[in-house]
Amino acid sequence: METAPLVIGSERENGNGNGAHAAPDGGGTLTPVDDLGRLPALVESLLFAAGRPVPIAQLIEALAGPGRAEVVDALEHLARTYEREGRGLRLVQVAGGWQLRTPAEHGPWVRRLLHERPPRLSRPMLETLAVVAYRQPCTRLEIEAVRGVDAEAVLTTLIERRLVRIVGRKEAPGRPLLYSTTREFLEVFGLPDLKALPPLRDLGDGAALLAATGVEVAPEGVAVTLESPPASGDDG
């Protein structure tokens, strides 16, 4: 069965009927895609030029022709090709979009070329990020209740690194600030979205505190209400 030609734009855009179409920025012409087999290469060019995660909706808008199903097929075809051929790039879903990245195992050589150090996060930063990621939006008081230590300095650092952001104020006495993770957080940890975070049950001892449903300040200190009491089964 012959595949119908896939044309980007339309002949009416330039009125010359010769199959060449005006480029979106008005410079030169945008040649049509001859068939769907050429689509992966075109998608590859867009992702390379973007240099950041690109949502599918933006790819569809830029292509101005193929539908969502065709673009998804092209992306998956590219991802399989890179992986199968052991290429120096990988196509991954991250931060709500698709991005071309170097394989993690090539990191030492890439950093040597770029004279960069790998990003380092201290244990307090990682713990604070975990609390924010699983409880967001959450207040500083909630973070401190889970971790048991002051979190102001760590939160300031995470905001400076654009891993955490302020998203508003909680409707509570004093209207404390609310914190959430950022798109950069997803990029750094290679997550397509927050649904890709490991399940709480896989986190071991700290999972119960992350699942706490409420934080109350009492004269004797901060009280944390757990979602459900831990099982008391015997050790034998």
Side-chain angles (χ1 to χ4, degrees):
M1 177 176 173
E2 185 176 354
T3 302
L6 177 64
V7 178
I8 294 183
S10 67
E11 294 180 356
R12 288 178 297 176
E13 292 174 345
N14 59 14
N16 56 20
N18 62 5
H21 306 289
D25 60 1
T29 59
L30 180 64
T31 56
V33 177
D34 298 322
D35 53 47
L36 291 178
R38 184 179 167 190
L39 185 57
L42 183 52
V43 169
E44 184 179 36
S45 295
L46 297 180
L47 294 174
F48 177 81
R52 57 171 174 77
V54 183
I56 289 182
Q58 291 186 11
L59 290 173
I60 294 172
E61 181 181 1
L63 292 166
R68 182 182 181 88
E70 288 82 9
V71 174
V72 169
D73 285 346
L75 288 164
E76 293 177 347
H77 170 78
L78 279 173
R80 290 193 301 268
T81 300
Y82 284 128
E83 188 72 31
R84 182 178 65 251
E85 297 181 359
R87 304 272 292 278
L89 292 174
R90 295 291 184 271
L91 180 56
V92 297
Q93 280 186 276
V94 63
W98 290 76
Q99 184 180 26
L100 290 173
R101 289 189 164 197
T102 55
E105 60 269 24
H106 294 179
W109 292 274
V110 175
R111 288 191 292 270
R112 188 181 304 162
L113 172 67
L114 301 178
H115 302 289
E116 291 182 352
R117 289 185 176 182
R120 296 188 182 278
L121 296 172
S122 66
R123 183 180 182 87
M125 289 181 188
L126 289 171
E127 290 178 352
T128 302
L129 271 175
V131 178
V132 176
Y134 283 96
R135 294 185 56 80
Q136 62 186 307
C138 58
T139 66
R140 195 183 91 188
L141 179 63
E142 293 173 310
I143 297 168
E144 292 173 348
V146 173
R147 292 194 59 232
V149 295
D150 182 84
E152 182 175 7
V154 176
L155 277 172
T156 298
T157 301
L158 292 174
I159 290 173
E160 290 174 351
R161 294 197 180 189
R162 301 179 66 180
L163 297 174
V164 168
R165 64 191 179 103
I166 297 170
V167 294
R169 291 184 178 272
K170 186 173 184 177
E171 294 299 329
R175 302 196 69 228
L177 295 171
L178 288 168
Y179 299 90
S180 290
T181 55
T182 63
R183 184 174 295 275
E184 285 81 355
F185 164 80
L186 296 174
E187 290 189 42
V188 167
F189 288 92
L191 300 172
D193 51 46
L194 292 174
K195 295 178 182 178
L197 287 168
L200 280 173
R201 62 178 178 272
D202 295 344
L203 300 184
D205 297 338
L209 286 175
L210 289 176
T213 57
V215 177
E216 295 182 4
V217 180
E220 60 273 13
V222 178
V224 178
T225 304
L226 299 181
E227 188 174 276
S228 59
S232 58
D234 52 41
D235 298 331

